[in-house]
Amino acid sequence: MSYISEQTGLARIPTVLVKLHLDYCQNTFGQSPCAAAGVPCYYTYPTCKDKAHYLRGSKDYRFCAQAGPLRTDALPHLAQLAMVPTEIKADQHLTRVGEISLEFYDELPLPLANPDKTVGNPESGGTFWRNLLARNPNYRGRPAEIWQSFLGLAESEARLCFKGLITNIAVSEGRATVTVQDYLKKLEVKIPAQQSSENVLTAAYSGGAELLVSDASEFASASPGQPGLVKIEDETNGSEYVSYTGRSLSDNKLTGCQGGRFGTVSVSHPAGAQVSNAVVWAEDNGVDGLALDEIFLDLLTAYAGISVLDLAVVDLGATLGAAAGSSDSSLDCLGLEDFPPAGVFRIEDEVIRYAGKSSGMAFGVVDEEAGPQDGQHSLDQGAGVEQWHFVRFQTGPGDTALDRVRLQLMRDGFLAGSITLYLYSDQAGNPGAQLARLGQKDLSLVGVSGSRDLIWSRHLSLTPSTAYWLGYKLRVTAGLAEIFHALKVSPLATEFKHARSDAGPFTAIAGLPLFAVETSAGSYETLTGCKRGAYGSDAAAHSAGVAVQLLEVSDEVSRWLASARYRRFLEKPVAIKDLLRELRQSTLAHVWQGEDSRIHLKCAPVPFFRDPPKSLTDAENLVHQSVSADQNEEARQTRVTVYYDPLNADPGADPEQYRAALLHLDQEVESENYYGEIRNYEIFSPWIYRSLEALNAAAHFLLRFRYGAPLLTFGLELKDADLGVGDFVRVSTDLVQAPAGAPRLQALYEVVKKKPLGPNRFEYQALEAAGGGLNRYAVIAPDSYTADYDDYGDDAHAKYAWVSDANAQVGADADPGYCIS
Amino acid sequence: MSVNAKPIIAWNNQVIAAALTVSTEAPGYPRQNLQDWRPYLAWQGTGSAEQWLTLDAGAGAAIAATCLGLAGHDLASQGVTGVALKYSDNDADWSDCLPAFTPASDRTLLKIFPAQTHRYFKLVIPAGYAAPPRLGVWFLGGALPFPVYPELGFDPDGRVKETEAQVSRGGNLLGVVERFTRLEFKVGFRHLAPAWCETVWKPFFTAAALLPFFWAWDLTNHSEQVYLVRLLKPELNLPYQAGSWRSLDLNLEGLAE
């Protein structure tokens, strides 16, 4: 019995567990180091009698439903749970913060105020919640969690369904209501902090390491790892950005200063010049911007105070290939194929930014099979000749699978044809039965005048401690060049043979290694330039085999905005949520806290997915009388104007404050035959400084909203509740129909809201993701897709793209063509 | 099967007010949790030795008891055997109230024994358990036996399940969840002597109408059907019947185990 089996079962008993994490002193009253005496405190700071020795910790207050099954580790006070759901407002680039209202029954207090402490007070009055509130007036901002499970499941099966911050506790007669909001609530903080206008230089500054100001406490605390930034306003000599790494409050100075930052010139400024907090996201030359993931992570972790561990990660199957120390800057990993060239990843509770990823490296794999080193062997290749080469390898006692085979090849001129790899059994020292075909590669992939790896990735089960043969066949159709296979590095002895034809005798090749056989251990690739303990996480040592997970924001940015850069100069206090809104508008990104309580970012809401979206139908999924469709006409736009490259910091929504504007429109939808009107959407972007990013924003937005953004509301039962906000979903309902009158099958939507309406019913709102079926996004298909559109089915049509005709249509049925996003 | 016993209510818990000492107690599971009627707030011991819980009525005072009740416990799950209840007048010489017993399950249980009035009572949980046992409610007090059998139609197994089902647009049942199950049953008594009503029921109602109590409808033949219940609608209503008898209708609610 598991969470999934219960959730998808027909009848079940859900349970809920609420945890409130309130501050709690870790010392014991009156016992060293606590020197308090008299009536014991309640182990909270407001009730503490020896504040010098207060040791802040946390205590979990656990609650289950009053009507639910009895638990001895939770108080059955929970009366009901009401949710204001997270909602992505895609057309407004906003996300409504998720909020849960927990209503509890109040009752007599516990027999002891602090039953877990050896010194405490017996309860003599009040009620549970009133007492709790009186002793914890500083509850605001403390975390709360809501866990869901089913009766009969172990606690380890429970799932965290909401994690947030307590923002209010209200008590009434017999009840208490606790309001919890998700972590995006932290984005309401304004940066940079406003300082007094009288905060000025108290001595002239000419670029030294110390900068004297009227009141250093008004400037943000800083460290070498997280320097602060101020701007010296100087109309005469020119304003200057100065970074600092520390503050001395006793003598009002900023230390570790470095002038001339972000493109400003280091000059002398007189005493009396105003000094103000500033934030800049740009390279130090003040010209080049930063990647979106760098900015996003900086905003959320350094400024909003959100733990980087609360950000969503993507598991691409990568693992640490070898144990890593806490200061290693290069990490050997397995399965990095889908990792971008640079980005941010997480190992256990450490987050690491890496600057590069090795490729084509020498093999250092224990399961590699090769022979002597650093030689090459000409295959004496000629056009039209088939040539077989074989290598024997022995699986170790722990090898249960083969995952990849690498073959390093080089040619010295033009060759056309293919190379196909097979797995054979061993029969008396020669290749026996063919067991599997691992795949075919085009010879054009073979490097010219330089060796290049060809990799066959295929998982095959193998028997441990057994001999196998790998064989490859060359089929050369044109060209006269020779082809070479080069050496790999391995001490393991093995045996190599080739045959002139299928029927020819096997001839041993002395000392010429061919293959690298990678069992489930795989071959290492290396992430280089690693900045350990990034974004406030703690650098730590890690064992081989632990998961290496890419941060979702890096995954998204590398896919959609790999070369895009953004910059921002900020000199007036702005709420982080507003900065994020500007960024989202500039990149068409969505940000929300998911049901996994992780913060997600999806770059361009193009319907691209690794796994096929969930499919919903009237018969099997959609709850009776729950479906409605709204054309959401207000969201439709026909053109987009992007104002970019601001003249100054904080340009606002004034076109005059921008150097450039970009207009992007769709003539067809504006024509009289279509909508016959112009709807212009304006984007004022302080973050965009190049036309490339301006066009990117405009094109993405128009593609998404040129046909409107119809909203579909529907209800699902608990069994389908794995569908979450931000997911794509295919819906077939008679409420959404095609021109011929039949339901428009598999219409694609993006879930923007999910609201529980009861223990087993959820109301969803989803945004049409493909322009009513008119937008089909092009994704390049694998090599194996060589036939025309009509030769493939709906799944392939949905996943990949075909070139359209002059009318932007594909196939015999003249289906809509594909858009390049 | 023996002749049915008449229903019994065990009430007036002496554990609440007496001085309670215990052999050990785990952090977060103090002995005071045994004195508040809430089965989800439990006492739990530590270690592996014999656990004991002692009540002291105080100098010159005594506890009168004829019922032992336990609820919110895991004695059976922890493999506890030979639970004993003892009494003493000097905290040194102890006698058994009833033969040692082994809980068959973790359900609420009730034991009746000849009335004893003494200063000290002790509940003993012998060593040999798998893990320190937990106990939510320790009842030691009096019995209120009904003089008559329940009226015809009494259902001791009354359960109320509150459920919610969802049906698809195509008419298929998508799923059902149970919000909760609670024990709820009605029991009526007829031909109650007015004197019993005056001297037994009214004092009970005055003192304990808002508190939980142990209910056993036939402790002889259905000792496993003991429940910790409360009056769903506390009201004193003893209408007269023909022949000067009075009647009583109870609506009881409790946790389904």
Side-chain angles (χ1 to χ4, degrees):
Chain A
M1 201 161 63
S2 67
Y3 188 97
I4 292 294
S5 67
E6 286 295 294
Q7 181 187 350
T8 54
L10 191 65
R12 56 285 212 225
I13 304 176
T15 61
V16 63
L17 179 66
V18 174
K19 297 179 185 176
L20 306 182
H21 305 281
L22 298 182
D23 288 359
Y24 205 63
C25 183
Q26 301 302 290
N27 291 326
T28 302
F29 184 86
Q31 297 178 10
S32 181
C34 176
V39 177
C41 66
Y42 292 92
Y43 295 93
T44 63
Y45 190 78
T47 65
C48 180
K49 294 183 174 181
D50 180 14
K51 287 187 165 59
H53 293 109
Y54 176 80
L55 181 59
R56 185 181 173 192
S58 179
K59 178 179 179 177
D60 291 356
Y61 290 85
R62 297 158 64 100
F63 304 90
C64 59
Q66 184 267 343
L70 178 72
R71 297 178 66 121
T72 55
D73 60 352
L75 298 170
H77 291 181
L78 184 62
Q80 63 177 349
L81 185 155
M83 184 174 198
V84 178
T86 297
E87 180 178 1
I88 297 172
K89 296 176 181 290
D91 54 335
Q92 300 170 40
H93 315 288
L94 294 170
T95 298
R96 185 170 66 190
V97 173
E99 177 181 307
I100 281 189
S101 179
L102 303 160
E103 188 173 308
F104 296 94
Y105 292 111
D106 203 358
E107 65 161 353
L108 294 174
L110 305 180
L112 293 179
N114 305 98
D116 54 328
K117 296 286 189 180
T118 55
V119 179
N121 296 305
E123 293 284 23
S124 57
T127 67
F128 175 83
W129 278 100
R130 291 179 204 172
N131 292 353
L132 191 74
L133 189 56
R135 295 158 192 169
N136 295 274
N138 55 341
Y139 62 82
R140 186 176 167 83
R142 273 44 174 187
E145 297 170 6
I146 298 166
W147 294 76
Q148 286 186 329
S149 187
F150 297 92
L151 186 64
L153 293 186
E155 183 156 349
S156 58
E157 285 280 338
R159 290 196 176 178
L160 180 65
C161 68
F162 190 85
K163 184 178 176 184
L165 305 170
I166 302 170
T167 55
N168 193 47
I169 298 178
V171 293
S172 58
E173 290 185 15
R175 301 281 175 121
T177 303
V178 178
T179 304
V180 182
Q181 292 186 310
D182 71 27
Y183 277 102
L184 295 185
K185 179 74 177 171
K186 289 189 172 185
L187 302 181
E188 292 178 2
V189 174
K190 288 187 176 181
I191 57 169
Q194 179 68 54
Q195 68 292 308
S196 306
S197 56
E198 290 80 20
N199 208 334
V200 296
L201 286 178
T202 55
Y205 177 73
S206 302
E210 293 185 349
L211 188 148
L212 299 174
V213 294
S214 308
D215 186 354
S217 68
E218 292 185 354
F219 297 98
S221 59
S223 65
Q226 186 66 41
L229 185 71
V230 293
K231 184 179 184 185
I232 301 173
E233 303 285 356
D234 188 344
E235 290 185 2
T236 304
N237 304 304
S239 298
E240 179 181 352
Y241 285 122
V242 179
S243 64
Y244 61 97
T245 58
R247 300 181 301 176
S248 176
L249 301 184
S250 58
D251 44 8
N252 283 319
K253 66 183 178 187
L254 305 180
T255 59
C257 296
Q258 183 185 345
R261 301 297 308 274
F262 300 110
T264 58
V265 179
S266 183
V267 293
S268 181
H269 305 283
Q274 190 177 346
V275 184
S276 55
N277 282 308
V279 182
V280 174
W281 287 277
E283 296 290 354
D284 198 28
N285 60 16
V287 176
D288 298 323
L290 303 175
L292 176 62
D293 56 344
E294 274 192 74
I295 299 169
F296 178 75
L297 287 166
D298 197 43
L299 272 173
L300 264 63
T301 61
Y303 292 102
I306 293 173
S307 169
V308 70
L309 303 181
D310 286 323
L311 268 63
V313 294
V314 179
D315 193 343
L316 299 174
T319 56
L320 198 59
S326 60
S327 60
D328 293 348
S329 60
S330 295
L331 300 181
D332 288 339
C333 300
L334 301 167
L336 295 180
E337 291 86 349
D338 293 332
F339 271 51
V344 185
F345 63 95
R346 175 176 173 174
I347 302 180
E348 297 176 309
D349 284 343
E350 182 185 1
V351 171
I352 301 167
R353 172 171 281 281
Y354 67 100
K357 187 180 78 163
S358 68
S359 61
M361 60 180 285
F363 286 16
V365 191
V366 293
D367 293 302
E368 183 180 18
E369 298 288 345
Q373 301 177 17
D374 300 327
Q376 288 185 343
H377 171 61
S378 168
L379 297 182
D380 300 326
Q381 190 57 63
V385 178
E386 290 188 353
Q387 185 87 34
W388 287 87
H389 283 254
F390 295 92
V391 59
R392 185 172 71 87
F393 68 97
Q394 178 91 15
T395 55
D399 294 334
T400 58
L402 174 153
D403 288 307
R404 292 185 297 179
V405 175
R406 291 185 185 216
L407 176 60
Q408 202 170 69
L409 293 168
M410 183 187 80
R411 56 189 161 100
D412 61 3
F414 172 69
L415 274 180
S418 62
I419 178 168
T420 311
L421 192 67
Y422 301 86
L423 179 71
Y424 292 84
S425 65
D426 178 76
Q427 186 175 7
N430 281 322
Q434 180 180 311
L435 301 176
R437 177 178 184 271
L438 276 70
Q440 187 178 79
K441 303 277 184 191
D442 197 293
L443 282 181
S444 63
L445 297 173
V446 173
V448 180
S449 301
S451 296
R452 184 190 293 174
D453 282 337
L454 260 64
I455 302 174
W456 283 261
S457 294
R458 178 157 176 204
H459 182 86
L460 290 172
S461 294
L462 297 180
T463 304
S465 304
T466 303
Y468 291 91
W469 290 85
L470 282 162
Y472 71 81
K473 179 172 64 177
L474 287 167
R475 179 177 285 112
V476 179
T477 56
L480 293 171
E482 285 195 315
I483 188 166
F484 302 88
H485 48 215
L487 304 187
K488 300 297 179 184
V489 180
S490 171
L492 300 178
T494 186
E495 186 177 2
F496 302 90
K497 293 184 177 182
H498 66 176
R500 279 288 168 183
S501 69
D502 289 0
F506 294 110
T507 306
I509 305 173
L512 291 172
L514 289 166
F515 292 93
V517 179
E518 301 167 16
T519 69
S520 53
S523 178
Y524 299 136
E525 293 175 289
T526 303
L527 296 173
T528 58
C530 292
K531 182 188 175 189
R532 304 298 299 271
Y535 302 107
S537 64
D538 294 323
H542 305 285
S543 304
V546 298
V548 177
Q549 297 170 309
L550 191 64
L551 258 63
E552 183 182 64
V553 60
S554 275
D555 185 45
E556 288 284 320
V557 168
S558 67
R559 181 180 302 122
W560 299 111
L561 298 168
S563 60
R565 295 292 181 268
Y566 304 89
R567 73 177 185 215
R568 179 77 156 93
F569 296 85
L570 189 61
E571 296 171 3
K572 293 177 182 173
V574 178
I576 296 173
K577 67 177 182 181
D578 293 327
L579 292 170
L580 207 53
R581 180 173 183 271
E582 294 171 358
L583 261 180
R584 293 172 61 178
Q585 192 180 38
S586 303
T587 59
L588 230 65
H590 291 173
V591 177
W592 74 100
Q593 179 173 318
E595 285 179 86
D596 56 1
S597 293
R598 297 281 178 84
I599 293 173
H600 294 259
L601 180 142
K602 187 191 289 184
C603 266
V606 174
F608 177 87
F609 23 78
R610 285 193 169 87
D611 300 317
K614 191 179 182 74
S615 287
L616 306 175
T617 66
D618 281 336
E620 297 179 7
N621 312 96
L622 300 173
V623 171
H624 180 54
Q625 292 189 331
S626 71
V627 184
S628 63
D630 175 2
Q631 281 304 108
N632 194 20
E633 178 69 15
E634 291 301 310
R636 184 169 59 77
Q637 305 292 342
T638 65
R639 58 176 61 191
V640 179
T641 306
V642 181
Y643 297 95
Y644 66 100
D645 195 8
L647 291 166
N648 300 297
D650 312 312
D654 179 1
E656 299 298 321
Q657 296 298 313
Y658 295 85
R659 290 190 184 88
L662 180 142
L663 176 65
H664 187 66
L665 58 87
D666 187 321
Q667 285 181 303
E668 185 189 17
V669 298
E670 287 186 353
S671 71
E672 288 301 320
N673 287 332
Y674 221 116
Y675 294 115
E677 64 172 346
I678 293 173
R679 288 193 185 183
N680 186 31
Y681 182 74
E682 293 182 318
I683 296 175
F684 295 92
S685 178
W687 295 89
I688 296 176
Y689 62 98
R690 304 189 301 196
S691 60
L692 172 71
E693 287 78 7
L695 179 61
N696 186 305
H700 273 133
F701 189 90
L702 196 58
L703 196 59
R704 185 71 192 265
F705 293 103
R706 61 181 170 164
Y707 299 117
L711 284 164
L712 187 70
T713 302
F714 55 89
L716 294 181
E717 209 269 345
L718 179 61
K719 75 181 178 70
D720 295 314
D722 55 325
L723 184 67
V725 170
D727 290 347
F728 290 105
V729 61
R730 295 194 179 281
V731 183
S732 300
T733 173
D734 58 17
L735 261 289
V736 178
Q737 68 173 52
R744 185 151 61 83
L745 297 176
Q746 302 278 300
L748 189 64
Y749 290 86
E750 180 187 18
V751 176
V752 293
K753 187 171 83 171
K754 176 184 180 183
K755 181 180 182 180
L757 293 182
N760 68 332
R761 178 166 170 176
F762 297 83
E763 181 188 80
Y764 287 81
Q765 196 166 66
L767 192 69
E768 167 77 63
L774 297 173
N775 287 344
R776 306 173 81 186
Y777 295 87
V779 174
I780 297 172
D783 294 351
S784 56
Y785 282 71
T786 55
D788 285 342
Y789 179 84
D790 290 329
D791 293 332
Y792 295 96
D794 291 341
D795 286 349
H797 291 165
K799 203 167 183 181
Y800 304 119
W802 279 259
V803 177
S804 64
D805 61 17
N807 296 315
Q809 294 169 337
V810 289
D813 291 339
D815 291 339
Y818 293 86
C819 310
I820 296 176
S821 176
Chain B
M1 180 177 284
S2 305
V3 174
N4 284 4
K6 296 188 178 73
I8 187 171
I9 282 175
W11 72 291
N12 194 13
N13 193 356
Q14 300 294 303
V15 175
I16 303 295
L20 173 63
T21 54
V22 295
S23 52
T24 63
E25 61 186 17
Y29 296 88
R31 62 191 181 282
Q32 287 87 348
N33 283 349
L34 290 170
Q35 297 178 302
D36 72 344
W37 273 119
R38 290 181 279 198
Y40 53 87
L41 291 181
W43 160 83
Q44 188 174 25
T46 61
S48 57
E50 173 188 279
Q51 304 285 347
W52 50 260
L53 305 89
T54 301
L55 290 177
D56 178 3
I63 294 169
T66 188
C67 287
L68 167 68
L70 304 175
H73 66 87
D74 63 350
L75 297 172
S77 294
Q78 302 304 344
V80 172
T81 59
V83 177
L85 180 69
K86 300 172 181 292
Y87 63 82
S88 171
D89 291 314
N90 58 11
D91 199 16
D93 303 313
W94 293 93
S95 303
D96 290 330
C97 291
L98 73 169
F101 63 93
T102 297
S105 74
D106 291 342
R107 295 166 60 98
T108 300
L109 65 85
L110 185 67
K111 300 286 184 184
I112 305 289
F113 52 88
Q116 300 290 349
T117 303
H118 303 279
R119 177 176 170 178
Y120 300 99
F121 280 83
K122 180 159 72 174
L123 185 69
V124 180
I125 302 170
Y129 42 77
R134 189 185 67 232
L135 181 58
V137 174
W138 177 21
F139 174 86
L140 186 68
L144 187 161
F146 283 84
V148 297
Y149 288 104
E151 189 184 29
L152 199 64
F154 165 62
D155 177 3
D157 298 318
R159 296 279 197 287
V160 175
K161 278 187 187 293
E162 196 166 298
T163 62
E164 191 163 326
Q166 302 296 338
V167 177
S168 79
R169 300 188 75 222
N172 294 312
L173 177 63
L174 296 173
V176 184
V177 296
E178 179 184 315
R179 286 176 175 273
F180 63 91
T181 300
R182 69 175 188 276
L183 186 72
E184 183 178 333
F185 55 86
K186 295 177 180 177
V187 55
F189 297 95
R190 303 290 175 262
H191 303 103
L192 293 171
W196 183 88
C197 295
E198 290 296 327
T199 60
V200 178
W201 187 253
K202 283 186 178 178
F204 163 78
F205 187 86
T206 302
L210 300 181
L211 295 175
F213 52 84
F214 286 73
W215 160 267
W217 72 279
D218 178 3
L219 206 52
T220 300
N221 293 309
H222 298 284
S223 61
E224 79 287 359
Q225 292 189 10
V226 173
Y227 303 109
L228 188 62
V229 299
R230 70 182 185 95
L231 295 174
L232 188 57
K233 189 178 178 185
E235 60 180 0
L236 189 59
N237 189 8
L238 296 157
Y240 277 98
Q241 295 176 280
S244 297
W245 300 108
R246 303 185 76 169
S247 64
L248 175 62
D249 290 297
L250 300 178
N251 201 352
L252 303 178
E253 181 194 63
L255 195 68
E257 294 184 85

